[in-house]
Amino acid sequence: MERFVRHRRLRRNGTIRRMVRETVLQTDDLILPLFVAEGEGIKREVPSMPGVYQLSLDHLAEELHEIKQLGIPSVMFFGIPAHKDDVGSEAYREDGIVQQAIRLAKETEPELYVMADTCLCEYTDHGHCGVIRDHDVDNDESLKLLVKTAVSQAKAGADMIAPSNMMDGFVAAIREGLDEAGFEHIPILSYAVKYASAFYGPFRDAADSAPQFGDRKTYQMDPANAREALREARSDVEQGADLLMVKPALNYMDIIRQVRDAFDLPIVAYNVSGEYAMVKAAALNGWIDEQQVVLELLTGLKRAGADMMLTYHAKDVAKWL
């Protein structure tokens, strides 16, 4: 018989499969998004995201302790203010909800690495990521407020700033603002490649941030475009980004790989709310094995080139691992 390669020799049992495994998922790869809400006694499950809650500060310390005990190294805060206005002033108020959450986190779990989402959409009454002029987002006026937001988050004790607004020049503006305020040591995780995706629906439910008119297609990217992703990422690298994010994750694994191949900065994949909701819905109906699907999903993102994953599955994954 003609000789052929026996690939199955290295799949014969679980031990050898683990020994030759090329991509290993670990708890240190995980960042958990958290929704913090103004008020008291709030632990409100997001209807479209089973297992994900809006939490008031009086419930946050307990949640942070659990996260730390599970070995999850980092969280990212998203704020739900009691008051909204046309310029999102609660985003940069020194005692805003995210600023309070950051301080609480650093007081109660100081080793937890705290990231702050830096955007205005959760805080504006129109739901867009900046200042509105003539029914469109004014890019340069919005940058001024985003800088104020980033600096206020850094003053509160954030370990990393994560701007998600997709304004042109936002990394350069925030870097300059942080440096001038004495925060040269604070890194920027840029939402460098953020698509105008249909997978954000449950997040807008969770963060109460749906646009009140129009959409975000004038500043977020067209899902059909790949080369544009590299242009966006390159701009942010040149402006001083320390890490790059691709959002969403599952439909954009090709983009994760292209960004990984083009740049040597750490890459974060955002496993977004719609992706989470689909898995949860299928699992609750008994159609899939949730644990196996989630672990395969996140391993796939890491194999594609992501160094870290921002994911609502983080607590479950930490328990499974």
Side-chain angles (χ1 to χ4, degrees), residues 293-312:
V293 166
V294 171
L295 293 177
E296 181 177 339
L297 182 161
L298 296 182
T299 300
L301 297 180
K302 193 169 182 183
R303 189 189 66 243
D307 298 290
M308 291 164 271
M309 280 76 68
L310 182 62
T311 177
Y312 303 96

mmCIF file of all heavy atoms in Angstrom, residues 293-312:
data_model
loop_
_atom_site.group_PDB
_atom_site.id
_atom_site.type_symbol
_atom_site.label_atom_id
_atom_site.label_comp_id
_atom_site.label_asym_id
_atom_site.label_seq_id
_atom_site.Cartn_x
_atom_site.Cartn_y
_atom_site.Cartn_z
ATOM 1 N N VAL A 293 -19.811 25.465 22.943
ATOM 2 C CA VAL A 293 -19.915 26.481 21.894
ATOM 3 C C VAL A 293 -19.139 27.737 22.277
ATOM 4 O O VAL A 293 -18.399 28.301 21.470
ATOM 5 C CB VAL A 293 -21.390 26.806 21.598
ATOM 6 C CG1 VAL A 293 -21.515 28.090 20.779
ATOM 7 C CG2 VAL A 293 -22.048 25.655 20.847
ATOM 8 N N VAL A 294 -19.300 28.198 23.510
ATOM 9 C CA VAL A 294 -18.632 29.431 23.938
ATOM 10 C C VAL A 294 -17.115 29.247 23.938
ATOM 11 O O VAL A 294 -16.371 30.121 23.465
ATOM 12 C CB VAL A 294 -19.129 29.874 25.325
ATOM 13 C CG1 VAL A 294 -18.284 31.026 25.869
ATOM 14 C CG2 VAL A 294 -20.596 30.293 25.242
ATOM 15 N N LEU A 295 -16.635 28.133 24.454
ATOM 16 C CA LEU A 295 -15.195 27.896 24.478
ATOM 17 C C LEU A 295 -14.628 27.797 23.063
ATOM 18 O O LEU A 295 -13.536 28.316 22.780
ATOM 19 C CB LEU A 295 -14.876 26.634 25.281
ATOM 20 C CG LEU A 295 -15.167 26.715 26.788
ATOM 21 C CD1 LEU A 295 -14.883 25.373 27.450
ATOM 22 C CD2 LEU A 295 -14.365 27.821 27.451
ATOM 23 N N GLU A 296 -15.380 27.169 22.174
ATOM 24 C CA GLU A 296 -14.931 27.082 20.778
ATOM 25 C C GLU A 296 -14.933 28.466 20.125
ATOM 26 O O GLU A 296 -14.004 28.827 19.383
ATOM 27 C CB GLU A 296 -15.846 26.136 20.001
ATOM 28 C CG GLU A 296 -15.454 25.943 18.552
ATOM 29 C CD GLU A 296 -16.349 24.945 17.826
ATOM 30 O OE1 GLU A 296 -17.009 24.115 18.494
ATOM 31 O OE2 GLU A 296 -16.407 25.000 16.574
ATOM 32 N N LEU A 297 -15.964 29.239 20.427
ATOM 33 C CA LEU A 297 -16.085 30.587 19.867
ATOM 34 C C LEU A 297 -14.897 31.457 20.272
ATOM 35 O O LEU A 297 -14.244 32.082 19.425
ATOM 36 C CB LEU A 297 -17.403 31.180 20.378
ATOM 37 C CG LEU A 297 -17.899 32.554 19.977
ATOM 38 C CD1 LEU A 297 -19.397 32.640 20.262
ATOM 39 C CD2 LEU A 297 -17.197 33.662 20.746
ATOM 40 N N LEU A 298 -14.581 31.495 21.570
ATOM 41 C CA LEU A 298 -13.510 32.357 22.041
ATOM 42 C C LEU A 298 -12.134 31.834 21.616
ATOM 43 O O LEU A 298 -11.233 32.631 21.324
ATOM 44 C CB LEU A 298 -13.579 32.504 23.561
ATOM 45 C CG LEU A 298 -14.836 33.209 24.099
ATOM 46 C CD1 LEU A 298 -14.763 33.350 25.617
ATOM 47 C CD2 LEU A 298 -15.031 34.577 23.458
ATOM 48 N N THR A 299 -11.997 30.531 21.569
ATOM 49 C CA THR A 299 -10.745 29.974 21.046
ATOM 50 C C THR A 299 -10.555 30.375 19.593
ATOM 51 O O THR A 299 -9.445 30.686 19.151
ATOM 52 C CB THR A 299 -10.736 28.443 21.184
ATOM 53 O OG1 THR A 299 -10.854 28.093 22.571
ATOM 54 C CG2 THR A 299 -9.449 27.839 20.639
ATOM 55 N N GLY A 300 -11.652 30.399 18.835
ATOM 56 C CA GLY A 300 -11.576 30.829 17.435
ATOM 57 C C GLY A 300 -11.130 32.276 17.307
ATOM 58 O O GLY A 300 -10.341 32.613 16.416
ATOM 59 N N LEU A 301 -11.614 33.128 18.189
ATOM 60 C CA LEU A 301 -11.195 34.532 18.149
ATOM 61 C C LEU A 301 -9.714 34.666 18.466
ATOM 62 O O LEU A 301 -8.998 35.449 17.832
ATOM 63 C CB LEU A 301 -12.019 35.355 19.141
ATOM 64 C CG LEU A 301 -13.525 35.436 18.881
ATOM 65 C CD1 LEU A 301 -14.198 36.280 19.956
ATOM 66 C CD2 LEU A 301 -13.818 35.983 17.502
ATOM 67 N N LYS A 302 -9.259 33.890 19.426
ATOM 68 C CA LYS A 302 -7.834 33.939 19.758
ATOM 69 C C LYS A 302 -6.989 33.370 18.616
ATOM 70 O O LYS A 302 -5.927 33.904 18.284
ATOM 71 C CB LYS A 302 -7.580 33.177 21.062
ATOM 72 C CG LYS A 302 -6.200 33.441 21.642
ATOM 73 C CD LYS A 302 -6.046 32.898 23.042
ATOM 74 C CE LYS A 302 -4.654 33.246 23.586
ATOM 75 N NZ LYS A 302 -4.434 32.658 24.930
ATOM 76 N N ARG A 303 -7.457 32.300 18.019
ATOM 77 C CA ARG A 303 -6.752 31.717 16.867
ATOM 78 C C ARG A 303 -6.676 32.712 15.712
ATOM 79 O O ARG A 303 -5.675 32.777 14.982
ATOM 80 C CB ARG A 303 -7.467 30.441 16.412
ATOM 81 C CG ARG A 303 -6.714 29.630 15.362
ATOM 82 C CD ARG A 303 -7.574 28.507 14.811
ATOM 83 N NE ARG A 303 -8.708 29.027 14.061
ATOM 84 C CZ ARG A 303 -9.990 28.847 14.402
ATOM 85 N NH1 ARG A 303 -10.320 28.143 15.480
ATOM 86 N NH2 ARG A 303 -10.949 29.365 13.665
ATOM 87 N N ALA A 304 -7.716 33.524 15.548
ATOM 88 C CA ALA A 304 -7.735 34.519 14.469
ATOM 89 C C ALA A 304 -6.736 35.638 14.697
ATOM 90 O O ALA A 304 -6.384 36.347 13.751
ATOM 91 C CB ALA A 304 -9.143 35.100 14.325
ATOM 92 N N GLY A 305 -6.293 35.800 15.967
ATOM 93 C CA GLY A 305 -5.282 36.816 16.234
ATOM 94 C C GLY A 305 -5.544 37.708 17.430
ATOM 95 O O GLY A 305 -4.726 38.571 17.752
ATOM 96 N N ALA A 306 -6.684 37.528 18.101
ATOM 97 C CA ALA A 306 -6.984 38.356 19.267
ATOM 98 C C ALA A 306 -6.130 37.924 20.453
ATOM 99 O O ALA A 306 -5.970 36.731 20.716
ATOM 100 C CB ALA A 306 -8.460 38.251 19.627
ATOM 101 N N ASP A 307 -5.591 38.899 21.156
ATOM 102 C CA ASP A 307 -4.852 38.625 22.390
ATOM 103 C C ASP A 307 -5.782 38.594 23.594
ATOM 104 O O ASP A 307 -5.515 37.903 24.577
ATOM 105 C CB ASP A 307 -3.783 39.697 22.609
ATOM 106 C CG ASP A 307 -2.757 39.724 21.495
ATOM 107 O OD1 ASP A 307 -1.966 38.776 21.405
ATOM 108 O OD2 ASP A 307 -2.765 40.687 20.710
ATOM 109 N N MET A 308 -6.863 39.371 23.526
ATOM 110 C CA MET A 308 -7.833 39.454 24.609
ATOM 111 C C MET A 308 -9.227 39.517 24.011
ATOM 112 O O MET A 308 -9.398 39.943 22.868
ATOM 113 C CB MET A 308 -7.589 40.706 25.466
ATOM 114 C CG MET A 308 -6.326 40.668 26.299
ATOM 115 S SD MET A 308 -5.878 42.316 26.903
ATOM 116 C CE MET A 308 -4.860 42.883 25.535
ATOM 117 N N MET A 309 -10.205 39.108 24.808
ATOM 118 C CA MET A 309 -11.594 39.170 24.386
ATOM 119 C C MET A 309 -12.420 39.915 25.427
ATOM 120 O O MET A 309 -12.398 39.571 26.611
ATOM 121 C CB MET A 309 -12.180 37.758 24.192
ATOM 122 C CG MET A 309 -11.807 37.101 22.888
ATOM 123 S SD MET A 309 -10.117 36.480 22.853
ATOM 124 C CE MET A 309 -10.183 35.149 24.016
ATOM 125 N N LEU A 310 -13.117 40.945 24.989
ATOM 126 C CA LEU A 310 -14.103 41.631 25.813
ATOM 127 C C LEU A 310 -15.411 40.881 25.597
ATOM 128 O O LEU A 310 -15.988 40.917 24.505
ATOM 129 C CB LEU A 310 -14.218 43.091 25.359
ATOM 130 C CG LEU A 310 -15.159 44.024 26.111
ATOM 131 C CD1 LEU A 310 -14.743 44.176 27.563
ATOM 132 C CD2 LEU A 310 -15.212 45.389 25.436
ATOM 133 N N THR A 311 -15.876 40.161 26.632
ATOM 134 C CA THR A 311 -16.995 39.249 26.416
ATOM 135 C C THR A 311 -17.889 39.151 27.642
ATOM 136 O O THR A 311 -17.406 39.109 28.785
ATOM 137 C CB THR A 311 -16.488 37.843 26.038
ATOM 138 O OG1 THR A 311 -17.608 36.949 25.905
ATOM 139 C CG2 THR A 311 -15.505 37.281 27.057
ATOM 140 N N TYR A 312 -19.206 39.086 27.406
ATOM 141 C CA TYR A 312 -20.192 38.904 28.463
ATOM 142 C C TYR A 312 -20.186 37.471 28.989
ATOM 143 O O TYR A 312 -20.790 37.190 30.030
ATOM 144 C CB TYR A 312 -21.585 39.270 27.937
ATOM 145 C CG TYR A 312 -21.652 40.684 27.409
ATOM 146 C CD1 TYR A 312 -21.501 40.942 26.042
ATOM 147 C CD2 TYR A 312 -21.826 41.760 28.265
ATOM 148 C CE1 TYR A 312 -21.531 42.237 25.553
ATOM 149 C CE2 TYR A 312 -21.865 43.057 27.782
ATOM 150 C CZ TYR A 312 -21.706 43.288 26.420
ATOM 151 O OH TYR A 312 -21.735 44.574 25.945
#
